[in-house]
Amino acid sequence: NIAMAAQMTDAHRRFLQVLMSHGIMEGSEARKLHRRCCEIHKVYYAHDKLDDFISTINSHLQPLFMQIRKGMSEGDGRAHYALVNLAETEVTKMASDYTENELELFRKTMDLIILSENGFASSTDILNLADQLKTKKMKKKEAEQVLKVFVEDKWLSERNGEYTLHTRCIIEMEQYILSNYQDVARKCNICHSLAIQSQVCDSCGIGMHLPCVRKYFRAQTEPRCPQCNDFWSCDIP
């Protein structure tokens, strides 16, 4: 029975194809797709077995150095699934899609976002970098266009002129960010995935995603740090 469960069926293949074409998918969409694929190919469907369904796909993707990973949107805390290439570091993978100076702009934008207090960088600050690029300076108009492409390709998200890393980017680049920004990159104390937009404890320095902060302190009368038990001084979102 276990051997049967691990078989790749046409339902699994269809799921993988659709996810590949999207790059990333919100949890509720992935659950709908799971159901639809099982119904189309007349494969046994269990509504609470999406993660098992995905791990079957992952066991077959392993030799190809690919993996479907689950991550969380830092904005609303919703689960997302993304197909990740494990063979290359993410920045080398981007290299096939973008020019040298576009990549340099992305790296500098990433620096601004990760080193910021709140996990955002303003378009003004990013555009000011455009004419300081070592590879080839960029005009502001040109840089604006490139930022738009980064948003369309789901590397960045933009809200009211403020940029942050897209959920897909965080899922794909977690290892890269943790090893390249060791002094500042931290994992969320609650869900243990990389936290870019986070609150940090004044006393012990642990970080938590905003949705995790919301959830964790909901049941508490007085907000105290889960690590050191000191009073949590940030405003609960």
Side-chain angles (χ1 to χ4, degrees):
N1 202 21
I2 288 168
M4 275 178 67
Q7 284 295 315
M8 261 293 252
T9 66
D10 285 341
H12 293 94
R13 288 185 195 94
R14 180 181 289 259
F15 184 94
L16 179 59
Q17 277 171 340
V18 175
L19 183 62
M20 276 172 88
S21 68
H22 284 72
I24 184 167
M25 199 173 258
E26 208 248 303
S28 62
E29 290 301 310
R31 286 191 292 278
K32 271 186 224 151
L33 177 63
H34 173 213
R35 181 179 187 158
R36 202 160 62 237
C37 292
C38 290
E39 284 170 356
I40 291 170
H41 295 288
K42 300 187 172 35
V43 169
Y44 171 70
Y45 165 73
H47 72 93
D48 56 348
K49 293 281 186 269
L50 172 61
D51 287 349
D52 291 352
F53 184 82
I54 285 172
S55 62
T56 297
I57 299 173
N58 280 340
S59 65
H60 291 266
L61 288 176
Q62 213 174 349
L64 307 170
F65 301 103
M66 305 283 282
Q67 190 182 53
I68 297 172
R69 276 198 189 151
K70 189 178 183 177
M72 182 187 88
S73 156
E74 296 200 318
D76 57 20
R78 286 185 186 159
H80 283 71
Y81 293 87
L83 185 66
V84 176
N85 184 337
L86 306 171
E88 312 170 72
T89 67
E90 293 64 21
V91 172
T92 56
K93 189 165 76 216
M94 288 178 77
S96 56
D97 297 327
Y98 307 104
T99 63
E100 283 270 318
N101 65 335
E102 288 170 351
L103 272 182
E104 193 188 344
L105 184 69
F106 180 77
R107 283 197 197 95
K108 285 185 178 296
T109 302
M110 199 149 98
D111 286 346
L112 284 178
I113 290 169
I114 293 169
L115 302 174
S116 72
E117 292 278 299
N118 62 356
F120 282 91
S122 74
S123 56
T124 315
D125 288 345
I126 298 170
L127 294 174
N128 285 340
L129 299 171
D131 53 8
Q132 299 167 25
L133 300 180
K134 288 190 181 73
T135 39
K136 183 169 155 260
K137 291 181 176 27
M138 241 187 237
K139 292 192 170 71
K140 288 215 165 122
K141 257 286 150 273
E142 203 183 334
E144 276 171 1
Q145 206 43 50
V146 173
L147 284 176
K148 217 168 128 187
V149 173
F150 286 144
V151 171
E152 279 164 14
D153 293 347
K154 301 190 176 95
W155 293 109
L156 296 176
S157 295
E158 185 267 341
R159 202 171 64 222
N160 307 327
E162 296 275 317
Y163 288 84
T164 189
L165 299 183
H166 193 285
T167 307
R168 173 197 170 184
C169 179
I170 294 173
I171 294 174
E172 293 216 16
M173 292 209 180
E174 180 163 342
Q175 280 322 112
Y176 174 86
I177 292 169
L178 288 169
S179 54
N180 284 275
Y181 296 89
Q182 284 176 354
D183 299 342
V184 287
R186 53 170 67 80
K187 288 191 173 190
C188 171
N189 191 264
I190 302 298
C191 72
H192 308 295
S193 56
L194 176 66
I196 304 291
Q197 297 171 45
S198 60
Q199 288 187 352
V200 177
C201 174
D202 287 343
S203 305
C204 70
I206 62 135
M208 291 200 274
H209 287 121
L210 306 185
C212 293
V213 167
R214 234 188 342 260
K215 226 183 273 174
Y216 181 77
F217 290 128
R218 193 181 289 151
Q220 301 195 12
T221 44
E222 191 181 50
R224 292 196 166 273
C225 173
Q227 182 78 16
C228 69
N229 205 34
D230 266 8
F231 183 73
W232 193 264
S233 58
C234 308
D235 291 337
I236 311 302

